[in-house]
PDB file of all heavy atoms in Angstrom:
ATOM      1  N   GLY A   1      75.174 112.352  88.873  1.00 94.00           N
ATOM      2  CA  GLY A   1      74.783 112.734  90.219  1.00 94.00           C
ATOM      3  C   GLY A   1      75.519 112.035  91.334  1.00 94.00           C
ATOM      4  O   GLY A   1      75.180 112.196  92.503  1.00 94.00           O
ATOM      5  N   LYS A   2      76.535 111.241  90.983  1.00 97.00           N
ATOM      6  CA  LYS A   2      77.280 110.500  92.009  1.00 97.00           C
ATOM      7  C   LYS A   2      78.747 110.876  91.997  1.00 97.00           C
ATOM      8  O   LYS A   2      79.251 111.449  91.031  1.00 97.00           O
ATOM      9  CB  LYS A   2      77.118 108.999  91.792  1.00 97.00           C
ATOM     10  CG  LYS A   2      75.696 108.499  91.995  1.00 97.00           C
ATOM     11  CD  LYS A   2      75.652 106.983  91.950  1.00 97.00           C
ATOM     12  CE  LYS A   2      74.254 106.470  92.248  1.00 97.00           C
ATOM     13  NZ  LYS A   2      74.203 104.987  92.212  1.00 97.00           N
ATOM     14  N   GLU A   3      79.412 110.517  93.085  1.00 97.00           N
ATOM     15  CA  GLU A   3      80.852 110.733  93.174  1.00 97.00           C
ATOM     16  C   GLU A   3      81.586 109.740  92.266  1.00 97.00           C
ATOM     17  O   GLU A   3      81.093 108.643  91.984  1.00 97.00           O
ATOM     18  CB  GLU A   3      81.315 110.526  94.618  1.00 97.00           C
ATOM     19  CG  GLU A   3      80.741 111.505  95.618  1.00 97.00           C
ATOM     20  CD  GLU A   3      81.349 112.871  95.475  1.00 97.00           C
ATOM     21  OE1 GLU A   3      82.580 112.944  95.291  1.00 97.00           O
ATOM     22  OE2 GLU A   3      80.601 113.864  95.551  1.00 97.00           O
ATOM     23  N   ARG A   4      82.761 110.152  91.832  1.00 98.00           N
ATOM     24  CA  ARG A   4      83.588 109.223  91.074  1.00 98.00           C
ATOM     25  C   ARG A   4      84.047 108.109  92.017  1.00 98.00           C
ATOM     26  O   ARG A   4      84.463 108.375  93.141  1.00 98.00           O
ATOM     27  CB  ARG A   4      84.792 109.948  90.490  1.00 98.00           C
ATOM     28  CG  ARG A   4      85.617 109.114  89.535  1.00 98.00           C
ATOM     29  CD  ARG A   4      86.703 109.946  88.852  1.00 98.00           C
ATOM     30  NE  ARG A   4      86.134 111.025  88.053  1.00 98.00           N
ATOM     31  CZ  ARG A   4      86.853 111.779  87.218  1.00 98.00           C
ATOM     32  NH1 ARG A   4      88.153 111.567  87.088  1.00 98.00           N
ATOM     33  NH2 ARG A   4      86.286 112.743  86.540  1.00 98.00           N
ATOM     34  N   GLU A   5      83.973 106.872  91.541  1.00 98.00           N
ATOM     35  CA  GLU A   5      84.380 105.748  92.375  1.00 98.00           C
ATOM     36  C   GLU A   5      85.409 104.897  91.656  1.00 98.00           C
ATOM     37  O   GLU A   5      85.385 104.743  90.431  1.00 98.00           O
ATOM     38  CB  GLU A   5      83.173 104.881  92.790  1.00 98.00           C
ATOM     39  CG  GLU A   5      82.529 104.076  91.680  1.00 98.00           C
ATOM     40  CD  GLU A   5      81.472 103.108  92.156  1.00 98.00           C
ATOM     41  OE1 GLU A   5      81.279 102.944  93.384  1.00 98.00           O
ATOM     42  OE2 GLU A   5      80.822 102.486  91.285  1.00 98.00           O
ATOM     43  N   TRP A   6      86.274 104.341  92.466  1.00 98.00           N
ATOM     44  CA  TRP A   6      87.306 103.439  91.944  1.00 98.00           C
ATOM     45  C   TRP A   6      86.665 102.106  91.592  1.00 98.00           C
ATOM     46  O   TRP A   6      85.810 101.604  92.336  1.00 98.00           O
ATOM     47  CB  TRP A   6      88.381 103.258  93.012  1.00 98.00           C
ATOM     48  CG  TRP A   6      89.423 102.254  92.663  1.00 98.00           C
ATOM     49  CD1 TRP A   6      90.521 102.433  91.891  1.00 98.00           C
ATOM     50  CD2 TRP A   6      89.461 100.890  93.095  1.00 98.00           C
ATOM     51  NE1 TRP A   6      91.250 101.274  91.811  1.00 98.00           N
ATOM     52  CE2 TRP A   6      90.618 100.309  92.554  1.00 98.00           C
ATOM     53  CE3 TRP A   6      88.640 100.098  93.890  1.00 98.00           C
ATOM     54  CZ2 TRP A   6      90.971  98.981  92.772  1.00 98.00           C
ATOM     55  CZ3 TRP A   6      88.990  98.789  94.110  1.00 98.00           C
ATOM     56  CH2 TRP A   6      90.140  98.239  93.558  1.00 98.00           C
ATOM     57  N   VAL A   7      87.071 101.526  90.465  1.00 98.00           N
ATOM     58  CA  VAL A   7      86.492 100.272  90.001  1.00 98.00           C
ATOM     59  C   VAL A   7      87.492  99.128  90.037  1.00 98.00           C
ATOM     60  O   VAL A   7      87.190  98.036  90.525  1.00 98.00           O
ATOM     61  CB  VAL A   7      85.951 100.430  88.564  1.00 98.00           C
ATOM     62  CG1 VAL A   7      85.440  99.102  88.026  1.00 98.00           C
ATOM     63  CG2 VAL A   7      84.855 101.489  88.514  1.00 98.00           C
ATOM     64  N   ALA A   8      88.676  99.376  89.509  1.00 98.00           N
ATOM     65  CA  ALA A   8      89.655  98.297  89.408  1.00 98.00           C
ATOM     66  C   ALA A   8      91.043  98.891  89.209  1.00 98.00           C
ATOM     67  O   ALA A   8      91.186 100.037  88.797  1.00 98.00           O
ATOM     68  CB  ALA A   8      89.326  97.358  88.238  1.00 98.00           C
ATOM     69  N   LYS A   9      92.044  98.076  89.480  1.00 98.00           N
ATOM     70  CA  LYS A   9      93.411  98.489  89.190  1.00 98.00           C
ATOM     71  C   LYS A   9      94.219  97.269  88.786  1.00 98.00           C
ATOM     72  O   LYS A   9      93.868  96.124  89.118  1.00 98.00           O
ATOM     73  CB  LYS A   9      94.064  99.167  90.395  1.00 98.00           C
ATOM     74  CG  LYS A   9      94.423  98.218  91.526  1.00 98.00           C
ATOM     75  CD  LYS A   9      95.191  98.942  92.621  1.00 98.00           C
ATOM     76  CE  LYS A   9      95.591  97.969  93.730  1.00 98.00           C
ATOM     77  NZ  LYS A   9      96.277  98.672  94.842  1.00 98.00           N
ATOM     78  N   ILE A  10      95.315  97.533  88.085  1.00 98.00           N
ATOM     79  CA  ILE A  10      96.242  96.472  87.734  1.00 98.00           C
ATOM     80  C   ILE A  10      97.649  96.982  88.006  1.00 98.00           C
ATOM     81  O   ILE A  10      97.995  98.101  87.627  1.00 98.00           O
ATOM     82  CB  ILE A  10      96.059  96.012  86.273  1.00 98.00           C
ATOM     83  CG1 ILE A  10      96.920  94.784  85.991  1.00 98.00           C
ATOM     84  CG2 ILE A  10      96.326  97.137  85.276  1.00 98.00           C
ATOM     85  CD1 ILE A  10      96.505  94.045  84.712  1.00 98.00           C
ATOM     86  N   ILE A  11      98.420  96.166  88.698  1.00 97.00           N
ATOM     87  CA  ILE A  11      99.760  96.594  89.068  1.00 97.00           C
ATOM     88  C   ILE A  11     100.785  96.033  88.088  1.00 97.00           C
ATOM     89  O   ILE A  11     100.446  95.350  87.125  1.00 97.00           O
ATOM     90  CB  ILE A  11     100.079  96.204  90.518  1.00 97.00           C
ATOM     91  CG1 ILE A  11     100.087  94.675  90.678  1.00 97.00           C
ATOM     92  CG2 ILE A  11      99.096  96.850  91.475  1.00 97.00           C
ATOM     93  CD1 ILE A  11     100.519  94.240  92.080  1.00 97.00           C
ATOM     94  N   GLN A  12     102.044  96.316  88.363  1.00 93.00           N
ATOM     95  CA  GLN A  12     103.131  95.996  87.437  1.00 93.00           C
ATOM     96  C   GLN A  12     103.147  94.518  87.047  1.00 93.00           C
ATOM     97  O   GLN A  12     103.368  94.175  85.893  1.00 93.00           O
ATOM     98  CB  GLN A  12     104.453  96.392  88.071  1.00 93.00           C
ATOM     99  CG  GLN A  12     105.680  96.110  87.250  1.00 93.00           C
ATOM    100  CD  GLN A  12     106.941  96.532  87.970  1.00 93.00           C
ATOM    101  OE1 GLN A  12     106.896  97.261  88.950  1.00 93.00           O
ATOM    102  NE2 GLN A  12     108.080  96.068  87.486  1.00 93.00           N
ATOM    103  N   ASN A  13     102.909  93.648  88.029  1.00 92.00           N
ATOM    104  CA  ASN A  13     103.027  92.209  87.746  1.00 92.00           C
ATOM    105  C   ASN A  13     101.761  91.617  87.131  1.00 92.00           C
ATOM    106  O   ASN A  13     101.688  90.407  86.912  1.00 92.00           O
ATOM    107  CB  ASN A  13     103.409  91.442  89.015  1.00 92.00           C
ATOM    108  CG  ASN A  13     102.315  91.457  90.069  1.00 92.00           C
ATOM    109  OD1 ASN A  13     101.218  91.981  89.848  1.00 92.00           O
ATOM    110  ND2 ASN A  13     102.598  90.884  91.225  1.00 92.00           N
ATOM    111  N   GLY A  14     100.781  92.462  86.851  1.00 91.00           N
ATOM    112  CA  GLY A  14      99.562  91.994  86.204  1.00 91.00           C
ATOM    113  C   GLY A  14      98.434  91.610  87.139  1.00 91.00           C
ATOM    114  O   GLY A  14      97.355  91.208  86.688  1.00 91.00           O
ATOM    115  N   ARG A  15      98.676  91.713  88.420  1.00 96.00           N
ATOM    116  CA  ARG A  15      97.614  91.363  89.369  1.00 96.00           C
ATOM    117  C   ARG A  15      96.560  92.440  89.403  1.00 96.00           C
ATOM    118  O   ARG A  15      96.881  93.628  89.448  1.00 96.00           O
ATOM    119  CB  ARG A  15      98.179  91.168  90.767  1.00 96.00           C
ATOM    120  CG  ARG A  15      97.206  90.497  91.719  1.00 96.00           C
ATOM    121  CD  ARG A  15      97.707  90.564  93.138  1.00 96.00           C
ATOM    122  NE  ARG A  15      97.413  91.875  93.723  1.00 96.00           N
ATOM    123  CZ  ARG A  15      97.783  92.232  94.950  1.00 96.00           C
ATOM    124  NH1 ARG A  15      98.484  91.411  95.699  1.00 96.00           N
ATOM    125  NH2 ARG A  15      97.481  93.429  95.411  1.00 96.00           N
ATOM    126  N   GLY A  16      95.305  92.027  89.377  1.00 97.00           N
ATOM    127  CA  GLY A  16      94.202  92.967  89.397  1.00 97.00           C
ATOM    128  C   GLY A  16      93.483  92.978  90.730  1.00 97.00           C
ATOM    129  O   GLY A  16      93.548  92.019  91.488  1.00 97.00           O
ATOM    130  N   ASP A  17      92.796  94.079  90.971  1.00 98.00           N
ATOM    131  CA  ASP A  17      91.982  94.205  92.172  1.00 98.00           C
ATOM    132  C   ASP A  17      90.721  94.955  91.771  1.00 98.00           C
ATOM    133  O   ASP A  17      90.762  95.794  90.858  1.00 98.00           O
ATOM    134  CB  ASP A  17      92.749  94.958  93.257  1.00 98.00           C
ATOM    135  CG  ASP A  17      92.131  94.787  94.625  1.00 98.00           C
ATOM    136  OD1 ASP A  17      91.227  93.927  94.777  1.00 98.00           O
ATOM    137  OD2 ASP A  17      92.524  95.507  95.565  1.00 98.00           O
ATOM    138  N   TYR A  18      89.592  94.668  92.458  1.00 98.00           N
ATOM    139  CA  TYR A  18      88.306  95.158  92.008  1.00 98.00           C
ATOM    140  C   TYR A  18      87.432  95.625  93.169  1.00 98.00           C
ATOM    141  O   TYR A  18      87.527  95.094  94.285  1.00 98.00           O
ATOM    142  CB  TYR A  18      87.545  94.037  91.286  1.00 98.00           C
ATOM    143  CG  TYR A  18      88.308  93.408  90.158  1.00 98.00           C
ATOM    144  CD1 TYR A  18      89.156  92.326  90.381  1.00 98.00           C
ATOM    145  CD2 TYR A  18      88.191  93.893  88.860  1.00 98.00           C
ATOM    146  CE1 TYR A  18      89.873  91.753  89.349  1.00 98.00           C
ATOM    147  CE2 TYR A  18      88.901  93.312  87.818  1.00 98.00           C
ATOM    148  CZ  TYR A  18      89.739  92.254  88.075  1.00 98.00           C
ATOM    149  OH  TYR A  18      90.449  91.685  87.042  1.00 98.00           O
ATOM    150  N   ILE A  19      86.573  96.570  92.857  1.00 98.00           N
ATOM    151  CA  ILE A  19      85.517  96.900  93.794  1.00 98.00           C
ATOM    152  C   ILE A  19      84.582  95.700  93.879  1.00 98.00           C
ATOM    153  O   ILE A  19      84.415  94.949  92.909  1.00 98.00           O
ATOM    154  CB  ILE A  19      84.757  98.166  93.327  1.00 98.00           C
ATOM    155  CG1 ILE A  19      83.845  98.715  94.416  1.00 98.00           C
ATOM    156  CG2 ILE A  19      83.970  97.896  92.072  1.00 98.00           C
ATOM    157  CD1 ILE A  19      83.213 100.051  94.048  1.00 98.00           C
ATOM    158  N   GLU A  20      83.972  95.508  95.055  1.00 98.00           N
ATOM    159  CA  GLU A  20      83.184  94.307  95.289  1.00 98.00           C
ATOM    160  C   GLU A  20      82.063  94.129  94.263  1.00 98.00           C
ATOM    161  O   GLU A  20      81.772  93.003  93.835  1.00 98.00           O
ATOM    162  CB  GLU A  20      82.594  94.357  96.702  1.00 98.00           C
ATOM    163  CG  GLU A  20      81.984  93.051  97.171  1.00 98.00           C
ATOM    164  CD  GLU A  20      83.002  91.937  97.313  1.00 98.00           C
ATOM    165  OE1 GLU A  20      84.167  92.223  97.657  1.00 98.00           O
ATOM    166  OE2 GLU A  20      82.626  90.782  97.070  1.00 98.00           O
ATOM    167  N   SER A  21      81.450  95.224  93.855  1.00 97.00           N
ATOM    168  CA  SER A  21      80.265  95.136  92.997  1.00 97.00           C
ATOM    169  C   SER A  21      80.555  94.626  91.590  1.00 97.00           C
ATOM    170  O   SER A  21      79.621  94.261  90.860  1.00 97.00           O
ATOM    171  CB  SER A  21      79.576  96.499  92.907  1.00 97.00           C
ATOM    172  OG  SER A  21      80.446  97.463  92.361  1.00 97.00           O
ATOM    173  N   VAL A  22      81.818  94.585  91.190  1.00 98.00           N
ATOM    174  CA  VAL A  22      82.143  94.114  89.838  1.00 98.00           C
ATOM    175  C   VAL A  22      82.923  92.809  89.837  1.00 98.00           C
ATOM    176  O   VAL A  22      83.207  92.256  88.766  1.00 98.00           O
ATOM    177  CB  VAL A  22      82.907  95.181  89.017  1.00 98.00           C
ATOM    178  CG1 VAL A  22      82.178  96.518  89.054  1.00 98.00           C
ATOM    179  CG2 VAL A  22      84.340  95.326  89.490  1.00 98.00           C
ATOM    180  N   LYS A  23      83.268  92.316  91.009  1.00 98.00           N
ATOM    181  CA  LYS A  23      84.033  91.068  91.076  1.00 98.00           C
ATOM    182  C   LYS A  23      83.255  89.937  90.413  1.00 98.00           C
ATOM    183  O   LYS A  23      82.063  89.771  90.630  1.00 98.00           O
ATOM    184  CB  LYS A  23      84.335  90.717  92.534  1.00 98.00           C
ATOM    185  CG  LYS A  23      85.442  91.547  93.142  1.00 98.00           C
ATOM    186  CD  LYS A  23      85.746  91.120  94.564  1.00 98.00           C
ATOM    187  CE  LYS A  23      86.866  91.964  95.157  1.00 98.00           C
ATOM    188  NZ  LYS A  23      87.154  91.608  96.560  1.00 98.00           N
ATOM    189  N   GLY A  24      83.960  89.162  89.600  1.00 97.00           N
ATOM    190  CA  GLY A  24      83.333  88.069  88.877  1.00 97.00           C
ATOM    191  C   GLY A  24      82.705  88.485  87.566  1.00 97.00           C
ATOM    192  O   GLY A  24      82.339  87.630  86.755  1.00 97.00           O
ATOM    193  N   ARG A  25      82.572  89.784  87.333  1.00 98.00           N
ATOM    194  CA  ARG A  25      81.987  90.274  86.070  1.00 98.00           C
ATOM    195  C   ARG A  25      83.004  91.046  85.238  1.00 98.00           C
ATOM    196  O   ARG A  25      82.976  90.989  84.017  1.00 98.00           O
ATOM    197  CB  ARG A  25      80.791  91.187  86.367  1.00 98.00           C
ATOM    198  CG  ARG A  25      79.672  90.523  87.129  1.00 98.00           C
ATOM    199  CD  ARG A  25      78.431  91.413  87.208  1.00 98.00           C
ATOM    200  NE  ARG A  25      78.655  92.671  87.909  1.00 98.00           N
ATOM    201  CZ  ARG A  25      78.493  93.877  87.366  1.00 98.00           C
ATOM    202  NH1 ARG A  25      78.100  93.992  86.107  1.00 98.00           N
ATOM    203  NH2 ARG A  25      78.699  94.973  88.094  1.00 98.00           N
ATOM    204  N   PHE A  26      83.886  91.788  85.884  1.00 98.00           N
ATOM    205  CA  PHE A  26      84.889  92.598  85.185  1.00 98.00           C
ATOM    206  C   PHE A  26      86.266  91.949  85.332  1.00 98.00           C
ATOM    207  O   PHE A  26      86.594  91.383  86.386  1.00 98.00           O
ATOM    208  CB  PHE A  26      84.952  94.003  85.771  1.00 98.00           C
ATOM    209  CG  PHE A  26      83.759  94.887  85.523  1.00 98.00           C
ATOM    210  CD1 PHE A  26      82.572  94.378  85.008  1.00 98.00           C
ATOM    211  CD2 PHE A  26      83.829  96.244  85.792  1.00 98.00           C
ATOM    212  CE1 PHE A  26      81.479  95.192  84.770  1.00 98.00           C
ATOM    213  CE2 PHE A  26      82.744  97.080  85.566  1.00 98.00           C
ATOM    214  CZ  PHE A  26      81.571  96.549  85.069  1.00 98.00           C
ATOM    215  N   THR A  27      87.055  92.079  84.278  1.00 98.00           N
ATOM    216  CA  THR A  27      88.433  91.600  84.324  1.00 98.00           C
ATOM    217  C   THR A  27      89.349  92.662  83.745  1.00 98.00           C
ATOM    218  O   THR A  27      89.124  93.140  82.628  1.00 98.00           O
ATOM    219  CB  THR A  27      88.596  90.300  83.511  1.00 98.00           C
ATOM    220  OG1 THR A  27      87.706  89.304  84.020  1.00 98.00           O
ATOM    221  CG2 THR A  27      90.028  89.789  83.610  1.00 98.00           C
ATOM    222  N   ILE A  28      90.366  93.005  84.517  1.00 98.00           N
ATOM    223  CA  ILE A  28      91.345  93.990  84.052  1.00 98.00           C
ATOM    224  C   ILE A  28      92.597  93.251  83.590  1.00 98.00           C
ATOM    225  O   ILE A  28      93.003  92.249  84.199  1.00 98.00           O
ATOM    226  CB  ILE A  28      91.659  95.017  85.170  1.00 98.00           C
ATOM    227  CG1 ILE A  28      92.432  96.207  84.620  1.00 98.00           C
ATOM    228  CG2 ILE A  28      92.390  94.365  86.339  1.00 98.00           C
ATOM    229  CD1 ILE A  28      92.539  97.362  85.597  1.00 98.00           C
ATOM    230  N   SER A  29      93.190  93.735  82.504  1.00 98.00           N
ATOM    231  CA  SER A  29      94.403  93.108  81.983  1.00 98.00           C
ATOM    232  C   SER A  29      95.262  94.184  81.336  1.00 98.00           C
ATOM    233  O   SER A  29      94.802  95.305  81.116  1.00 98.00           O
ATOM    234  CB  SER A  29      94.060  92.014  80.970  1.00 98.00           C
ATOM    235  OG  SER A  29      93.349  92.550  79.872  1.00 98.00           O
ATOM    236  N   ARG A  30      96.498  93.822  81.033  1.00 97.00           N
ATOM    237  CA  ARG A  30      97.374  94.794  80.412  1.00 97.00           C
ATOM    238  C   ARG A  30      98.223  94.133  79.351  1.00 97.00           C
ATOM    239  O   ARG A  30      98.574  92.948  79.455  1.00 97.00           O
ATOM    240  CB  ARG A  30      98.258  95.473  81.467  1.00 97.00           C
ATOM    241  CG  ARG A  30      99.281  94.590  82.152  1.00 97.00           C
ATOM    242  CD  ARG A  30      99.911  95.286  83.364  1.00 97.00           C
ATOM    243  NE  ARG A  30     100.628  96.493  82.990  1.00 97.00           N
ATOM    244  CZ  ARG A  30     100.887  97.491  83.840  1.00 97.00           C
ATOM    245  NH1 ARG A  30     100.467  97.422  85.096  1.00 97.00           N
ATOM    246  NH2 ARG A  30     101.561  98.553  83.443  1.00 97.00           N
ATOM    247  N   ASP A  31      98.577  94.932  78.345  1.00 97.00           N
ATOM    248  CA  ASP A  31      99.499  94.514  77.293  1.00 97.00           C
ATOM    249  C   ASP A  31     100.604  95.565  77.274  1.00 97.00           C
ATOM    250  O   ASP A  31     100.413  96.661  76.731  1.00 97.00           O
ATOM    251  CB  ASP A  31      98.779  94.428  75.947  1.00 97.00           C
ATOM    252  CG  ASP A  31      99.675  93.899  74.842  1.00 97.00           C
ATOM    253  OD1 ASP A  31     100.920  94.051  74.951  1.00 97.00           O
ATOM    254  OD2 ASP A  31      99.138  93.365  73.857  1.00 97.00           O
ATOM    255  N   ASN A  32     101.728  95.244  77.875  1.00 95.00           N
ATOM    256  CA  ASN A  32     102.788  96.246  77.998  1.00 95.00           C
ATOM    257  C   ASN A  32     103.387  96.629  76.647  1.00 95.00           C
ATOM    258  O   ASN A  32     103.848  97.765  76.482  1.00 95.00           O
ATOM    259  CB  ASN A  32     103.875  95.749  78.940  1.00 95.00           C
ATOM    260  CG  ASN A  32     103.419  95.742  80.398  1.00 95.00           C
ATOM    261  OD1 ASN A  32     102.444  96.403  80.761  1.00 95.00           O
ATOM    262  ND2 ASN A  32     104.122  94.986  81.219  1.00 95.00           N
ATOM    263  N   ARG A  33     103.373  95.714  75.694  1.00 96.00           N
ATOM    264  CA  ARG A  33     103.915  96.064  74.381  1.00 96.00           C
ATOM    265  C   ARG A  33     103.064  97.119  73.705  1.00 96.00           C
ATOM    266  O   ARG A  33     103.566  97.991  72.988  1.00 96.00           O
ATOM    267  CB  ARG A  33     104.019  94.829  73.496  1.00 96.00           C
ATOM    268  CG  ARG A  33     105.124  93.863  73.890  1.00 96.00           C
ATOM    269  CD  ARG A  33     105.198  92.709  72.921  1.00 96.00           C
ATOM    270  NE  ARG A  33     103.925  92.011  72.830  1.00 96.00           N
ATOM    271  CZ  ARG A  33     103.643  91.122  71.898  1.00 96.00           C
ATOM    272  NH1 ARG A  33     104.541  90.800  70.989  1.00 96.00           N
ATOM    273  NH2 ARG A  33     102.472  90.531  71.885  1.00 96.00           N
ATOM    274  N   LYS A  34     101.768  97.042  73.934  1.00 97.00           N
ATOM    275  CA  LYS A  34     100.852  98.016  73.340  1.00 97.00           C
ATOM    276  C   LYS A  34     100.579  99.196  74.263  1.00 97.00           C
ATOM    277  O   LYS A  34      99.806 100.087  73.919  1.00 97.00           O
ATOM    278  CB  LYS A  34      99.528  97.333  72.975  1.00 97.00           C
ATOM    279  CG  LYS A  34      99.658  96.294  71.889  1.00 97.00           C
ATOM    280  CD  LYS A  34      98.304  95.676  71.548  1.00 97.00           C
ATOM    281  CE  LYS A  34      98.439  94.660  70.427  1.00 97.00           C
ATOM    282  NZ  LYS A  34      97.134  94.047  70.078  1.00 97.00           N
ATOM    283  N   GLU A  35     101.171  99.149  75.464  1.00 97.00           N
ATOM    284  CA  GLU A  35     100.973 100.221  76.457  1.00 97.00           C
ATOM    285  C   GLU A  35      99.482 100.458  76.702  1.00 97.00           C
ATOM    286  O   GLU A  35      99.018 101.602  76.758  1.00 97.00           O
ATOM    287  CB  GLU A  35     101.673 101.512  76.024  1.00 97.00           C
ATOM    288  CG  GLU A  35     103.173 101.351  75.883  1.00 97.00           C
ATOM    289  CD  GLU A  35     103.874 102.641  75.488  1.00 97.00           C
ATOM    290  OE1 GLU A  35     103.361 103.312  74.567  1.00 97.00           O
ATOM    291  OE2 GLU A  35     104.910 102.975  76.096  1.00 97.00           O
TER     292      GLU A  35
END
């Protein structure tokens, strides 16, 4: 019943950004070898 909302993103250099409601609870990461 709600709109889709953005939660987090990770850019090329590995830096993450988060919606306020998940900061401190969610962590985004990437493994480029595993894509």
Side-chain angles (χ1 to χ4, degrees):
K2 294 188 176 180
E3 296 287 318
R4 188 173 298 189
E5 70 172 354
W6 174 82
V7 176
K9 73 174 182 183
I10 187 164
I11 64 175
Q12 179 180 346
N13 67 4
R15 193 191 81 182
D17 196 11
Y18 305 89
I19 192 173
E20 192 65 33
S21 60
V22 309
K23 284 183 180 178
R25 300 189 298 120
F26 291 12
T27 302
I28 192 169
S29 60
R30 67 191 298 158
D31 184 334
N32 288 342
R33 288 183 303 168
K34 295 181 178 180
E35 299 181 314

